[in-house]
Amino acid sequence: MKHSRAAVLLACCTSACSGFDRQSAVDPAGPQAESIEHLFVFMVVIAVVVYIAVIGATIAIIRRRKATDEDPRSPSREASAARAIKLAIGVVVPVLFVLLVYDFSVGRSVNAMTNTPMLTVELTGHRWWWEVQYEDPIPQNRVRTANEMHIPVGRPVNVKLASHDVIHSFWVPNLAGKKDLIPGHVNEVIIQADKPGVYRAQCAEFCGAQHANMSMMVVAESPERFSKWIASQRQVPAPPVDTLAARGQTVFEGGQCAMCHAVASTRAAASIGPDLTHVASRLTIAAGTLKNTTANLGGWIVDPQGIKPGVDMPSNALSPTDLRALLAYLRTLQ
Amino acid sequence: MTTADKRGAITLPPAIDQGDRERLQKTWEPRTGFIGWITSVNHKTVGKRYIATALIFFLFGGLEAGMIRLQLSRPDNGILGPDLYNQIFTMHGTTMMFLFAVPIMTAIGIYLVPLMIGARNIAFPRLNALGFWVYLIGGGFLYVMFFMNTGPDAGWTAYTPLSGPEYGFGKRVDIWAQMVTFTEISALIAALEIITTIFKMRAPGMTFSRLPLLVWAQLVTAFMVMFAMSSVATGSIMLAADRLIATHFFNPAEGGDVLLWQHLFWFFGHPEVYIIFIPALGMVSQIVTTFTGRPVFGYPVVVTALIATAVIGFALWVHHMFATSVHQLGESFFTAASTMISIPTGAQIFCWLATIWLGRPVWKTPLLFVIGFIVVFVMGGLTGVMLASVPFDLQAQDTYFVVAHLHYVLIGGAIFPLLGAFYYWFPKVTGRMMSERLGKWNFWLLFVGVNVTFFPMHILGLRGMTRRIYTYSDAMGWGTLNLIASVGAVIIVASMAVFAFNLFWSLRKGEAAGANPWNADTLEWATTSPPPPYNFVDTPVVIGRDGLWDYGDEFPVITGLHTDRPEVLITSVMTAEPRYRHEAPSPTFAPLVMGVLIGAMLIAGVFTPWGLVYGTAFIGIPFYMWAWPDKREHERNLREENEKRLEKKEAA
């Protein structure tokens, strides 16, 4: 698993050195975002032309020299003003119609179902993290993870959106437009990546104190790599062999951690916070806030309120040995 | 009929002697000093109060914007924590929309509409005074609570369930919802008065086809307020009920629906933008008329455009909700409507440009602000057309692209015309001119500041910067553009400081204005500056659409209103023919007392539902004060009726 992550990091180092591709609506990496970007460019061109025309006309009108004997209410000049206005409106209306038609066709194409069998991912918004579940007809093949979604390149993914608390919005600008996660409603959005990369997603609907730090990584990788990833996610982590990590597991199961988090095949089975079964394999922690390093993880466990004030995770006053053990254990959860 | 000089200062009709003027003064302002000020029901006193209060809220809203820009000026900034930041941006939006923009547009209507239609006062002047007190108490309450760290923090849109009982902690959102109730009351009161005043109190001869464009704009806006406010009133009452008495309107677990809030809110929220924007369009029309020396070209087009904007404005609300998943047919409808609304506004801009082209423009500060309005607003309008597209909107919604768009539209479409209006009408209200030199500084600083602040936000939004985030990491690459935007905010602050200085300096040291310093055409310029409490010695008679410009050497007036009692002339709705004299209510403490009691009731209602129950009973007291007949007035009326009867008998 370790080297696949490194490969992904390497792949995206070409475009950004921050661990993910630039989060951008004008840097599309999939068909949905791409057709929207084309529409956007078309609209910008039209808008710039219209803007130049209006401002140009304004400047020309301001700079016009007037004959001193000119009658400001002369009917002959009023007639030409009327013609100019009619012409301007006559140009604007058809342009708006062209925009509408183009826009409707793009709107329908980004939502179109394809014949390719889609991967279905259930995404649930929580304050302030994302719960990700991969649907599978065989129940034990379902995969549950958090704040990171792996998708195979070139295959449409149907993301089913639900919310556990308030309204959130799922937005991966490089792949598609946003869709809200609304309590009591189920929404769906189709995303697809054509280029491998790590695309950042951010909550786009204000959801409270830590709305700013509610992001996740969408990792697009080759189908083979994706199959490997999903297979590894289905595995249950082996009990730790080294004594420090084993002690860490005791700390995890016996302390505050297990009250909210789950690690498969252990006594920790709560579902209030993110599932940590494969936490060490993830790129980030704290919903995209920090890179997943041991130092960051330690800081996060000890003082989450300092990093994300208002978050539900309480501070943990662990003894240095317990913390070291806990970190050693968490690093084994590949 | 008396003569008046059309160009210079209006010579007041000599038929009225000084004694009449003194009598009128005494009748319309029986009490002076502090008591007179506090009991006043004069539309100009109330209007000025409204404007001053709205400007103070504008200052607060601006300071909040400054703090937002300070926090976002660099990545990982720690000046404001998330809790305070969320309160501050909520207060910024709430203040600017509910406590500044809508009230100041209404306030200008309250001040100017009666003057522009040649009336002595507004209809229902006591209600008008009440509207101000309710607004003041509501806004003051919100700020007192904010300074006590109980400011609302769910955004000015207060989406449920974030604002609901489960996630909106403490009293924060309750205070927000109740503040909305306060502003609803005052906005509905003002709308009611403006409609009645325009329908029934226009000067003889002022038919609808001769109505000044600002009056048209205020009329259209008042109707929009009537429909839009009812929607948010329903919503805010339901929200308050969910929070206070555990109803479940917005609770999906009990069969409620969180999206219901968004529909109710945006059915008000989108028209709200036009409630702010349409009066500004009216101001632009008046400024263009005066400073080009000719009527706006295409008057029927402009009026139709105002009405069309108001009607279409109610068919756009779902474009704020595209990301919630809308049925495709619905999406197409709201896209088409959102695209369509650009046509009437575009037509108006073309008409103003044609007017400037045809006329003889005088480049004073107000006209400069009109040009600024066109340059800034058209940019916002074009991004608005882009945002009407659902697929693009789903990329841009809730990002800084939308923040840029809405500030271009609202600053371009409302602040520029409003500042122009200040420079234009300041001489009428105070009798002194504002400094032109400072005005130009004010304009250019604002123009540069707005573009430097808000243009980079388009790019930030496309690069993925979402709204309402209190911080962002350096890795996102948003630092530079945010810093530029913050520098722009400093320029805007400088511009507003120049404006504030100009206001205060001109109030004391400004050049004396005279009745009609700009040689404008509308009736408010046919009286002294500042206008006397009774507005006009004699009611003017309107003979054409161009108001004062139509008069030539004659200044036709209609006489016959009593000078010993506050009488207004009521005219017919369509033809503006004189119908009867109506005795307007006199100054009284009742609106203040009632305002305070309504305030106490609503504030108590935040903390306990019984506040509303007991409060309703107490409101009976000022209601009696309000409606209590004046004994002397009553006796006088009886005496006059008897005299008339006797006269008739003798004649028979």
Side-chain angles (χ1 to χ4, degrees):
Chain A
M1 241 359 263
K2 204 155 209 163
H3 91 215
S4 110
R5 204 180 108 207
V8 165
L9 277 173
L10 209 74
C12 68
C13 258
T14 45
S15 52
C17 36
S18 43
F20 52 87
D21 287 64
R22 173 153 282 176
Q23 175 176 318
S24 167
V26 285
D27 188 10
Q32 280 86 9
E34 196 172 359
S35 60
I36 297 174
E37 197 243 5
H38 289 169
L39 172 68
F40 167 70
V41 171
F42 179 72
M43 291 194 298
V44 167
V45 171
I46 301 261
V48 168
V49 170
V50 172
Y51 194 66
I52 289 174
V54 173
I55 302 308
T58 310
I59 292 171
I61 286 166
I62 293 171
R63 294 176 64 93
R64 193 176 76 94
R65 285 170 190 280
K66 275 162 214 198
T68 42
D69 58 339
E70 205 175 270
D71 175 13
R73 299 171 84 163
S74 131
S76 69
R77 298 186 56 238
E78 286 200 347
S80 57
R83 264 200 307 279
I85 290 176
K86 278 178 201 157
L87 180 73
I89 294 175
V91 170
V92 165
V93 173
V95 168
L96 290 177
F97 268 98
V98 171
L99 274 180
L100 266 189
V101 171
Y102 185 16
D103 163 37
F104 286 173
S105 74
V106 172
R108 275 144 183 78
S109 77
V110 294
N111 288 321
M113 295 290 190
T114 54
N115 289 328
T116 343
M118 284 198 280
L119 179 72
T120 307
V121 179
E122 289 169 15
L123 183 68
T124 309
H126 295 257
R127 303 214 301 173
W128 291 274
W129 60 282
W130 308 87
E131 181 185 347
V132 183
Q133 288 192 66
Y134 288 76
E135 278 193 358
D136 199 289
I138 306 162
Q140 61 265 42
N141 277 353
R142 287 174 68 96
V143 162
R144 179 215 280 267
T145 179
N147 300 324
E148 192 164 309
M149 186 193 289
H150 286 243
I151 59 169
V153 161
R155 189 171 159 199
V157 180
N158 185 19
V159 186
K160 288 188 179 171
L161 307 165
S163 171
H164 174 259
D165 36 53
V166 302
I167 302 176
H168 303 278
S169 194
F170 173 62
W171 186 39
V172 207
N174 303 65
L175 299 183
K178 60 184 70 63
K179 252 318 145 58
D180 289 353
L181 295 75
I182 305 168
H185 290 251
V186 176
N187 277 342
E188 290 182 6
V189 62
I190 298 170
I191 61 171
Q192 182 179 331
D194 287 342
K195 284 191 282 186
V198 178
Y199 305 107
R200 193 170 178 274
Q202 188 157 2
C203 176
E205 181 61 67
F206 179 62
C207 54
Q210 282 303 326
H211 167 60
N213 288 317
M214 181 172 170
S215 55
M216 69 184 279
M217 297 298 162
V218 177
V219 182
E221 48 201 1
S222 66
E224 303 78 51
R225 210 163 254 158
F226 173 74
S227 317
K228 253 197 225 161
W229 176 83
I230 202 122
S232 79
Q233 294 288 309
R234 281 174 190 150
Q235 277 164 14
V236 169
V241 277
D242 91 51
T243 45
L244 188 65
R247 180 171 165 194
Q249 183 172 0
T250 323
V251 172
F252 189 93
E253 289 181 52
Q256 289 197 73
C257 311
M259 299 173 93
C260 299
H261 295 284
V263 173
S265 83
T266 70
R267 287 191 297 155
S271 60
I272 294 168
D275 186 302
L276 298 180
T277 309
H278 297 282
V279 66
S281 75
R282 291 176 200 155
L283 294 170
T284 63
I285 53 169
T289 311
L290 300 168
K291 276 190 193 164
N292 191 0
T293 63
T294 309
N296 280 344
L297 191 56
W300 172 247
I301 290 168
V302 172
D303 185 24
Q305 296 299 329
I307 294 162
K308 286 174 75 166
V311 76
D312 280 345
M313 180 155 155
S315 304
N316 292 283
L318 293 170
S319 71
T321 23
D322 277 355
L323 181 63
R324 219 172 311 129
L326 181 62
L327 288 171
Y329 169 64
L330 291 173
R331 299 321 287 180
T332 67
L333 300 174
Q334 285 293 332
Chain B
M1 302 253 177
T2 51
T3 50
D5 179 5
K6 179 186 142 193
R7 302 213 146 249
I10 300 286
T11 335
L12 294 160
I16 295 277
D17 60 34
Q18 197 56 35
D20 274 342
R21 223 173 279 169
E22 271 160 22
R23 249 194 315 281
L24 274 169
Q25 177 83 27
K26 219 172 161 237
T27 308
W28 284 89
E29 202 176 69
R31 274 188 279 197
T32 52
F34 180 71
I35 300 289
W37 183 79
I38 211 162
T39 56
S40 176
V41 293
N42 190 297
H43 74 100
K44 293 180 296 299
T45 314
V46 174
K48 278 195 282 191
R49 249 178 230 172
Y50 245 116
I51 293 170
T53 313
L55 283 179
I56 291 168
F57 284 125
F58 183 48
L59 175 70
F60 287 161
L63 290 175
E64 284 144 14
M67 293 180 79
I68 292 172
R69 284 316 323 160
L70 187 66
Q71 166 69 9
L72 294 179
S73 58
R74 56 197 180 117
D76 301 312
N77 209 348
I79 297 173
L80 303 177
D83 185 62
L84 189 55
Y85 183 87
N86 292 346
Q87 286 186 60
I88 284 178
F89 83 70
T90 302
M91 288 297 286
H92 170 68
T94 303
T95 306
M96 288 304 196
M97 298 300 275
F98 286 102
L99 299 178
F100 164 65
V102 173
I104 202 159
M105 294 297 174
T106 319
I108 287 178
I110 287 172
Y111 189 96
L112 283 178
V113 164
L115 281 164
M116 291 183 92
I117 63 171
R120 284 205 192 284
N121 201 354
I122 201 162
F124 316 126
R126 288 180 177 178
L127 206 56
N128 189 30
L130 170 69
F132 169 76
W133 296 120
V134 170
Y135 156 66
L136 178 71
I137 294 167
F141 171 54
L142 179 73
Y143 267 88
V144 166
M145 297 315 275
F146 173 56
F147 291 132
M148 287 158 61
N149 195 26
T150 317
D153 59 354
W156 84 278
T157 50
Y159 275 10
T160 52
L162 186 63
S163 62
E166 206 176 337
Y167 301 100
F169 301 116
K171 285 288 167 195
R172 289 178 165 184
V173 178
D174 300 279
I175 287 153
W176 181 88
Q178 206 68 302
M179 183 280 311
V180 173
T181 308
F182 277 102
T183 52
E184 276 154 16
I185 295 174
S186 70
L188 283 171
I189 284 176
L192 187 83
E193 285 156 8
I194 286 175
I195 293 173
T196 314
T197 310
I198 296 173
F199 274 7
K200 292 302 292 177
M201 294 170 73
R202 301 195 307 277
M206 187 181 267
T207 56
F208 277 105
S209 65
R210 292 170 178 175
L211 212 54
L213 287 165
L214 177 61
V215 181
W216 262 116
Q218 288 284 350
L219 179 64
V220 169
T221 308
F223 273 103
M224 289 191 82
V225 168
M226 290 273 178
F227 290 102
M229 286 291 170
S230 345
S231 176
V232 74
T234 314
S236 69
I237 289 167
M238 286 157 96
L239 179 62
D242 264 19
R243 295 183 56 94
L244 197 61
I245 52 170
T247 53
H248 296 288
F249 292 111
F250 307 118
N251 180 4
E254 298 287 341
D257 195 324
V258 295
L259 286 185
L260 175 61
W261 167 261
Q262 293 190 25
H263 282 287
L264 288 170
F265 184 82
W266 286 116
F267 192 77
F268 143 83
H270 197 85
E272 161 118 328
V273 176
Y274 295 97
I275 289 168
I276 294 164
F277 177 52
I278 289 179
L281 296 178
M283 293 168 192
V284 168
S285 287
Q286 296 308 144
I287 292 171
V288 167
T289 307
T290 299
F291 292 94
T292 57
R294 57 153 292 138
V296 167
F297 178 71
Y299 178 95
V301 176
V302 174
V303 172
T304 315
L306 291 175
I307 297 169
T309 308
V311 174
I312 305 170
F314 278 99
L316 314 175
W317 81 95
V318 173
H319 76 206
H320 296 269
M321 302 168 56
F322 283 151
T324 62
S325 244
V326 182
H327 186 271
Q328 203 146 54
L329 190 64
E331 280 183 352
S332 303
F333 173 83
F334 287 101
T335 297
S338 310
T339 310
M340 187 160 72
I341 199 148
S342 62
I343 298 170
T345 308
Q348 283 186 81
I349 291 174
F350 296 148
C351 285
W352 294 318
L353 287 177
T355 313
I356 297 172
W357 182 66
L358 291 167
R360 210 181 289 282
V362 181
W363 294 103
K364 297 278 188 191
T365 308
L367 194 56
L368 215 52
F369 273 104
V370 168
I371 298 297
F373 149 74
I374 292 174
V375 175
V376 176
F377 174 78
V378 170
M379 171 85 93
L382 287 167
T383 51
V385 172
M386 291 167 70
L387 287 167
S389 146
V390 178
F392 177 67
D393 179 81
L394 294 181
Q395 284 285 24
Q397 177 67 43
D398 279 315
T399 70
Y400 265 77
F401 191 91
V402 168
V403 176
H405 158 73
L406 76 92
H407 284 94
Y408 265 91
V409 170
L410 285 172
I411 296 182
I415 301 294
F416 274 86
L418 186 71
L419 290 178
F422 264 95
Y423 284 89
Y424 179 54
W425 276 292
F426 188 85
K428 178 48 62 189
V429 178
T430 64
R432 289 179 187 277
M433 309 292 285
M434 283 179 84
S435 159
E436 273 290 311
R437 226 176 100 192
L438 289 175
K440 280 174 183 148
W441 273 99
N442 177 6
F443 169 79
W444 283 109
L445 284 171
L446 184 67
F447 184 77
V448 172
V450 165
N451 284 295
V452 172
T453 306
F454 296 106
F455 192 82
M457 291 186 186
H458 291 113
I459 303 164
L460 280 171
L462 294 169
R463 287 212 195 145
M465 182 164 169
T466 47
R467 279 176 87 167
R468 297 172 166 179
I469 52 171
Y470 76 100
T471 188
Y472 55 92
S473 122
D474 194 23
M476 303 307 296
W478 299 330
T480 315
L481 288 171
N482 269 303
L483 185 62
I484 294 172
S486 297
V487 170
V490 175
I491 305 175
I492 297 179
V493 169
S495 158
M496 287 300 135
V498 171
F499 173 66
F501 177 77
N502 199 354
L503 275 186
F504 288 112
W505 183 85
S506 306
L507 206 56
R508 294 163 162 270
K509 300 259 169 81
E511 203 186 315
N516 190 359
W518 313 113
N519 183 27
D521 64 331
T522 38
L523 290 181
E524 77 272 27
W525 303 100
T527 182
T528 52
S529 306
Y534 46 91
N535 288 355
F536 301 94
V537 176
D538 276 318
T539 304
V541 173
V542 176
I543 56 169
R545 186 182 289 162
D546 299 340
L548 304 183
W549 293 346
D550 286 326
Y551 286 156
D553 294 336
E554 294 285 295
F555 189 95
V557 296
I558 189 166
T559 54
L561 288 179
H562 279 108
T563 52
D564 60 347
R565 63 197 77 158
E567 267 184 356
V568 293
L569 181 68
I570 304 296
T571 51
S572 61
V573 176
M574 296 311 290
T575 51
E577 280 161 20
R579 279 289 184 264
Y580 56 88
R581 294 174 308 202
H582 169 74
E583 189 166 347
S586 48
T588 155
F589 278 106
L592 175 61
V593 176
M594 192 182 250
V596 169
L597 279 174
I598 290 179
M601 157 180 134
L602 290 180
I603 290 171
V606 167
F607 300 95
T608 160
W610 291 105
L612 300 176
V613 178
Y614 294 127
T616 313
F618 278 117
I619 282 180
I621 300 167
F623 187 77
Y624 266 91
M625 269 174 80
W626 190 301
W628 202 257
D630 185 312
K631 195 179 173 192
R632 272 177 308 173
E633 237 172 62
H634 182 64
E635 283 170 353
R636 183 198 68 202
N637 289 347
L638 278 180
R639 198 169 55 238
E640 280 175 7
E641 251 173 58
N642 276 335
E643 277 166 14
K644 264 188 208 157
R645 210 175 293 140
L646 279 176
E647 268 173 35
K648 259 189 200 162
K649 232 182 223 169
E650 275 170 26

